[in-house]
């Protein structure tokens, strides 16, 4: 039985690649995309989600718009990484489909409570929608199967401040609520996503398949390559797609049970995620954290899945 997942997202180049990977993976059934502000505004995120699904001929997957601003912090976007459009240099046509006429928070609550312990949520943007759903419906925490979150930097440097990772930094108050919700959590932080790099050589390989999918990937990641060059990086980190490794290639990840806290004060370490490796807090683990990954092998799985998706959608 494929794992039934809802992706909560702010697309975003690597968010888009995560949708494509989910659609290309028989181990996964993508039930819906719920959108949030983050890399881009909510409006742009929702339009991108619809357009990417249409590109992948998956227009039947519902898209539901959620939070417009983080819980406490002002809105921040990341055009320097994802471009103004959120999908780099890719040109997506205006989507034909419309979002579901319901707020993502209500949609998540309704879907999860209708089928307790059946649905997993994969948040790959700021955690605003998930925190709001937890606060609005206390039964949600026991009914959702699990959260697999892309976020945080546990032993790794931050990518938006020296300490903090983008998704957690954008809404640290939401992260605090989610981390203490009691929901089973797997965290996929920068410690592992920085080891999964898509490089120009991979794009050249993908372009051997003539498809709107491969052309989209090429033009989307160009901005990300340029950004990575600006700090001496070697490629585009597959942050969000790596969450799906927990389903399609779990053997590539090493997880550790850990108590993780987030700084939601407004000082220099706002958004920093702290792992209690020595048990100094005496608190039980609140999540499993991925600390190691066989990154090149994950990239190989990713490329193979993209090749087969692209072959199924030829020009
Ligand atoms: C995370 O931030 C976003 O820019 C990416 O889409 C990813 O979810 C990485 O820090
Ligand atoms: Ca994202």
């Amino acid at each position: 039985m494929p794992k039934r997942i809802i992706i909560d997202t702010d697309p975003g180049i690597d968010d888009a690649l995560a949708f494509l990977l989910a659609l290309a993976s028989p181990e996964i059934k993508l039930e819906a995309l719920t959108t949030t502000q983050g890399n881009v505004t909510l409006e742009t995120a929702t339009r991108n989600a619809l357009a990417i699904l249409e590109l992948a001929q998956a227009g039947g997957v519902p898209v539901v718009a959620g939070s417009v601003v983080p819980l406490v912090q002002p809105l921040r976007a990341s055009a320097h990484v994802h471009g103004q459009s959120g999908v780099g240099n890719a040109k997506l046509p205006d989507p034909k489909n419309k979002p579901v006429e319901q707020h993502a928070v209500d949609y998540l609550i309704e879907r999860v409570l209708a089928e307790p312990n059946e649905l997993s949520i994969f948040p790959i943007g700021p955690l605003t929608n998930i925190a709001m759903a937890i606060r609005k419906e206390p039964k949600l925490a026991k009914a959702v199967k699990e959260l697999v979150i892309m976020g945080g930097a546990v032993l790794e440097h931050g990518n938006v401040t020296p300490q903090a990772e983008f998704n957690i930094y954008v809404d640290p108050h939401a992260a605090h609520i989610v981390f203490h919700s009691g929901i089973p959590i797997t965290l996929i932080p920068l410690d592992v996503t920085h080891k999964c790099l898509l490089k120009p050589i991979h794009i050249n390989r993908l372009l051997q398949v003539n498809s709107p999918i491969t052309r989209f990937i090429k033009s989307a990641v160009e901005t990300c390559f340029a950004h990575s060059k600006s700090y001496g990086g070697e490629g585009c980190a597959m942050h969000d797609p790596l969450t799906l490794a927990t389903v399609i290639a779990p053997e590539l990840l090493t997880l550790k049970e850990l108590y993780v806290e987030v700084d939601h004060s407004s000082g220099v370490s706002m958004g920093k995620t702290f792992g209690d490796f020595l048990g100094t807090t005496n608190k039980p683990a609140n999540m499993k954290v991925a600390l190691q990954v066989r990154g090149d092998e994950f990239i190989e799985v990713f490329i193979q899945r993209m090749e087969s998706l692209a072959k199924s959608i030829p020009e």
Side-chain angles (χ1 to χ4, degrees):
M1 276 270 283
K3 179 169 279 211
R4 299 172 61 200
I5 75 167
I6 296 176
I7 298 182
D8 186 69
T9 175
D10 59 336
I13 296 167
D14 60 322
D15 300 74
L17 300 183
F19 313 159
L20 298 181
L21 183 57
L23 293 168
S25 297
E27 304 89 341
I28 291 171
K29 176 158 190 290
L30 182 58
E31 296 273 343
L33 299 179
T34 52
T35 57
T36 180
Q37 43 65 39
N39 291 318
V40 286
T41 62
L42 178 71
E43 198 187 345
T44 304
T46 306
R47 186 166 25 82
N48 286 346
L50 288 163
I52 294 154
L53 290 176
E54 283 184 23
L55 177 86
Q57 298 182 357
V61 175
V63 173
V64 198
S67 67
V68 183
V69 282
L71 295 185
V72 178
Q73 291 294 316
L75 183 65
R76 294 170 209 272
S78 55
H80 60 296
V81 185
H82 298 268
Q84 287 299 341
S85 69
V87 286
N89 297 333
K91 299 267 174 291
L92 287 166
D94 279 340
K96 289 187 220 78
N97 287 340
K98 298 267 172 282
V100 174
E101 283 191 18
Q102 189 178 20
H103 193 283
V105 168
D106 297 315
Y107 181 87
L108 286 169
I109 293 170
E110 201 175 289
R111 289 289 313 265
V112 168
L113 293 195
E115 295 181 276
N117 279 310
E118 288 295 326
L119 295 174
S120 300
I121 305 177
F122 281 55
I124 57 175
L127 288 161
T128 320
N129 285 338
I130 312 302
M132 283 169 61
I134 290 167
R135 282 291 192 256
K136 185 165 185 193
E137 177 47 85
K139 291 196 205 97
L140 182 102
K142 289 240 176 322
V144 66
K145 194 176 170 74
E146 66 182 326
L147 301 175
V148 182
I149 299 171
M150 191 285 127
V154 179
L155 296 170
E156 174 75 336
H157 306 297
N159 63 353
V160 60
T161 73
Q163 309 254 27
E165 180 279 331
F166 179 81
N167 289 342
I168 304 297
Y169 181 77
V170 169
D171 200 338
H173 302 87
H176 183 78
I177 291 170
V178 173
F179 286 5
H180 296 285
S181 65
I183 301 174
I185 293 175
T186 302
L187 192 74
I188 306 295
L190 297 182
D191 305 65
V192 280
T193 65
H194 276 169
K195 298 199 172 74
C196 298
L197 298 179
L198 194 68
K199 300 179 182 171
I201 190 173
H202 300 124
I203 299 300
N204 291 341
R205 176 173 152 192
L206 278 175
L207 287 172
Q208 304 295 310
V209 185
N210 188 16
S211 159
I213 297 291
T214 49
R215 287 194 294 278
F216 168 77
I217 297 173
K218 175 193 178 280
S219 45
V221 298
E222 279 165 356
T223 317
C224 187
F225 284 154
H227 172 67
S228 108
K229 254 196 194 155
S230 72
Y231 62 77
E234 289 172 17
C236 184
M238 292 293 94
H239 305 288
D240 295 340
L242 188 60
T243 56
L244 301 169
T246 58
V247 189
I248 65 176
E251 69 284 359
L252 301 183
L253 290 163
T254 306
L255 304 179
K256 182 174 174 56
E257 300 235 4
L258 207 56
Y259 176 72
V260 177
E261 190 49 280
V262 56
D263 182 355
H264 61 294
S265 68
S266 51
V268 286
S269 64
M270 184 179 81
K272 165 79 185 152
T273 45
F274 298 88
D276 184 10
F277 286 88
L278 300 181
T280 52
T281 63
N282 260 330
K283 294 191 175 152
N286 56 352
M287 62 184 75
K288 289 183 195 147
V289 181
L291 290 174
Q292 283 166 24
V293 64
R294 305 209 302 264
D296 292 346
E297 289 175 60
F298 174 71
I299 292 293
E300 180 59 30
V301 172
F302 174 79
I303 302 283
Q304 286 179 13
R305 301 275 167 124
M306 291 304 103
E307 283 171 339
S308 61
L309 181 70
K311 281 177 190 155
S312 73
I313 306 177
E315 187 53 9

